[in-house]
Amino acid sequence: MNSEEGKGRSAAQPTVFGSHMGLFTAADDDAPKGGLAVLFLNPWGIEEMCTRRFYRVLAERLAEVGIASLRFDYPGTVNSLDHTSAERGLSAWSEVIGKAAEELKGLSGARSLVLLGQGIGASLALVQARSEPSLAAIALLAPVLKGRAYLRELSLFSRLIDDGLGIKPELRDGAPGSIAGLRMPAAVANDLRSLDLNNVEIGTEPQIFLAERPGLEGDTVFRDRLTAGGCQLRTTLFAGYDAMVSNPLNQAIPDALIDELIEWLQSLPQYRFHSAPPAKSPVAIASIHSVTMRETPLRFGPQDRLYGVLCEPTEASVGVTAVILTTAYDHAAGWARSSVELARELATIGVSSLRFDSAGVGDSPPVEGRRKQVLYDESQIADVEIARDFIDSLGIGARTMLIGRCSGAYVAFRSVLADPRWDACMIVNPVAFRWRFKGLPKTLKAYMRNAFDMETVRRLWSGEVDLGAVTKNISVRLVDRMATGLSPVFAPARPLTQLTAQVHRDFQSLANRGAVLSIIYTEGDDGQEMFRINFGDAGERLAAYPNVQLHLFPDADHNLTPLPARQKMIELAKLQALALGHPPQGKRLAIC
């Protein structure tokens, strides 16, 4: 097993405490069982998405040295219920932290806890310190020091993201704390305005690990205050912080920081204590409930290596189950919680769903033989087959549909082709239907624009850009442009026309089966470049396939960040699911 990446591991054990879900990672069987356990506290927004895999890898590394841990989501975030308790602001989040601490002590038998948080999670760890009787130490990773300044930073970062995604100003969410389609609970944002860690009384003089962001004077001032206050402080620079949190597409695990954290934890006196026998065990199957649905966190597949959430209606089912795929960079909750919103809306009309992380994404450990970045990787089809077998084992696989966006759309399409058990598929902004690029390609226009950008030149010189991949993708794009008219006389164009013929054979195969295919593109999306080559500028060649329907969404980006675009996609998914539940008598469904 590659301990750094967790290959060969099972997913963490899901647990439910009260109305909250958590992921418990026990100490490894062959590791010494110390007296410490670590409670992870999430950052907010894009930072949470970028740290999801980091937290999983760190939890697995902790397990190897005998330290159990628990990860969970605050009310109103990620996979949690949208409790009205979130309207109480940070006090509601702190209340759940206390409940999670009790759950972790019961599951691990540890007598002492370490609160470990990043961003706003680090701030909450310090605030929580005085009320946690079992506290041994605190690990603060790039903590938010002043809430008011943090909200301003989020607003600026949100504008930069919206600009990069090309979202129109009138469609942007300007609420305090909102970023990339994620809206911070208003009461939380209001409480943050008065947060200042320099005014927090710690009192117990705990051991503190502080990872400072390079070049930030505020972190240096905060460090000096902690030292003057008598804290036993270990400081380090958070090397790789910007690389990890700036773009979820290129998450980089800060291995050096993980090594330092583990060495510090092992130096704590409580690490050498013996833990007590666990007071409880995670319930194998436990759910949280709302009026319209119940959600069950679970792991499945060989060695229980995949993590997902089963969402079921509390009222009568229409007999349809949707499987919602991730991309290679967002986890099972989806970009802007879109998969959570979709699953819960489907439940309101009697449709069950399973959203899960493919191997190496989010909370599912990787497996041997796959690339580190599984973007547009057909190896993920094996995970979809496992999910299909799992819903069949639950008896909810009679009528099924796959839903995916971006690379998840590609995997969904290829999976439906590979497995005739699927009845329908909805795909959003697929870049291609058969893959021959290296990495994620840009359009020719984007490549030309970047060629004159000094930042691109700098990244080329520093080795941050894969020049071989860029050269291949530009060559493919150029051949694409010339292929249709020149293929009889231009040899390099022939593979492309052959590829287009293969795509049409794929579409014909689905038509012969009567499998429904809904394709959604946002207007101007880069994926339309390949679509037009396959099916014509207006998609006119789709007319040969009555089982296929094309939808064009205006005023949206590749990720469907604006809420109206997400709502429109959800409504289409609901219509397709209901049509699957009530097909025309005696024949398969052939419309969206």
Side-chain angles (χ1 to χ4, degrees), residues 57-121:
V57 171
L58 179 52
E60 292 163 352
R61 292 285 305 278
L62 293 175
E64 292 173 357
V65 296
I67 300 175
S69 63
L70 181 69
R71 315 190 300 274
F72 71 100
D73 303 317
Y74 311 124
T77 70
V78 198
N79 288 306
S80 69
L81 290 178
D82 294 325
H83 267 196
T84 54
S85 63
E87 297 172 4
R88 292 193 282 112
L90 288 178
S91 65
W93 287 12
S94 294
E95 182 181 299
V96 177
I97 293 172
K99 293 177 181 178
E102 292 303 311
E103 178 75 359
L104 175 56
K105 285 184 283 188
L107 293 173
S108 66
R111 296 182 174 91
S112 302
L113 295 187
V114 175
L115 300 180
L116 182 152
Q118 179 164 321
I120 192 61

Side-chain angles (χ1 to χ4, degrees), residues 316-344:
S317 170
V318 298
V320 174
T321 299
V323 172
I324 305 168
L325 304 185
T326 62
T327 68
Y329 54 88
D330 55 22
H331 48 69
W335 181 271
R337 291 186 86 199
S338 56
S339 296
V340 173
E341 294 171 353
L342 173 59
R344 294 175 181 176

Side-chain angles (χ1 to χ4, degrees), residues 5 75 86 126-127 156 164-165 183 284 290 325 344 360 424 482 489 504 544 552 554:
E5 287 295 331
L126 195 66
V127 171
L156 175 61
L165 295 174
R183 172 165 287 200
S290 73
L325 304 185
R344 294 175 181 176
M482 297 182 291
V489 295
H504 279 268
L552 294 178

Side-chain angles (χ1 to χ4, degrees), residues 209-427:
F209 181 99
L210 175 63
E212 301 178 47
R213 289 158 292 186
L216 282 186
E217 182 181 353
D219 282 16
T220 303
V221 172
F222 179 62
R223 177 193 65 201
D224 293 342
R225 177 193 172 266
L226 292 176
T227 302
C231 296
Q232 302 175 63
L233 187 64
R234 167 82 170 265
T235 62
T236 187
L237 283 180
F238 197 150
Y241 172 78
D242 290 333
M244 184 173 72
V245 304
S246 59
N247 187 346
L249 183 60
N250 301 307
Q251 300 164 36
I253 301 299
D255 295 314
L257 179 64
I258 290 177
D259 290 338
E260 282 197 69
L261 269 168
I262 291 175
E263 188 275 327
W264 171 71
L265 287 165
Q266 290 178 304
S267 74
L268 298 176
Q270 295 89 341
Y271 174 72
R272 294 185 290 274
F273 297 164
H274 290 294
S275 61
K280 60 183 294 188
S281 299
V283 177
I285 300 293
S287 304
I288 57 176
H289 300 261
S290 73
V291 174
T292 58
M293 59 87 189
R294 61 180 173 273
E295 289 198 327
T296 307
L298 40 80
R299 51 185 183 173
F300 59 95
Q303 293 84 50
D304 284 335
R305 65 176 178 82
L306 296 175
Y307 171 75
V309 179
L310 179 67
C311 183
E312 300 172 284
T314 54
E315 300 295 333
S317 170
V318 298
V320 174
T321 299
V323 172
I324 305 168
L325 304 185
T326 62
T327 68
Y329 54 88
D330 55 22
H331 48 69
W335 181 271
R337 291 186 86 199
S338 56
S339 296
V340 173
E341 294 171 353
L342 173 59
R344 294 175 181 176
E345 282 293 314
L346 288 173
T348 65
I349 61 168
V351 175
S352 299
S353 65
L354 173 68
R355 59 184 188 271
F356 75 99
D357 290 326
S358 292
V361 178
D363 293 314
S364 292
V367 294
E368 294 289 350
R370 296 194 192 179
R371 298 177 301 171
K372 186 175 182 180
Q373 173 56 279
V374 292
L375 194 71
Y376 282 90
D377 192 333
E378 296 204 14
S379 66
Q380 291 182 294
I381 295 173
D383 294 341
V384 178
E385 184 177 2
I386 291 170
R388 173 70 215 209
D389 292 341
F390 178 65
I391 63 173
D392 282 350
S393 73
L394 298 177
I396 56 173
R399 284 168 290 190
T400 53
M401 61 186 293
L402 270 173
I403 302 174
R405 175 186 55 79
C406 187
S407 63
Y410 178 77
V411 173
F413 178 75
R414 304 307 305 175
S415 297
V416 169
L417 275 169
D419 191 340
R421 290 178 293 177
W422 298 102
D423 299 292
C425 183
M426 174 175 281
I427 54 178

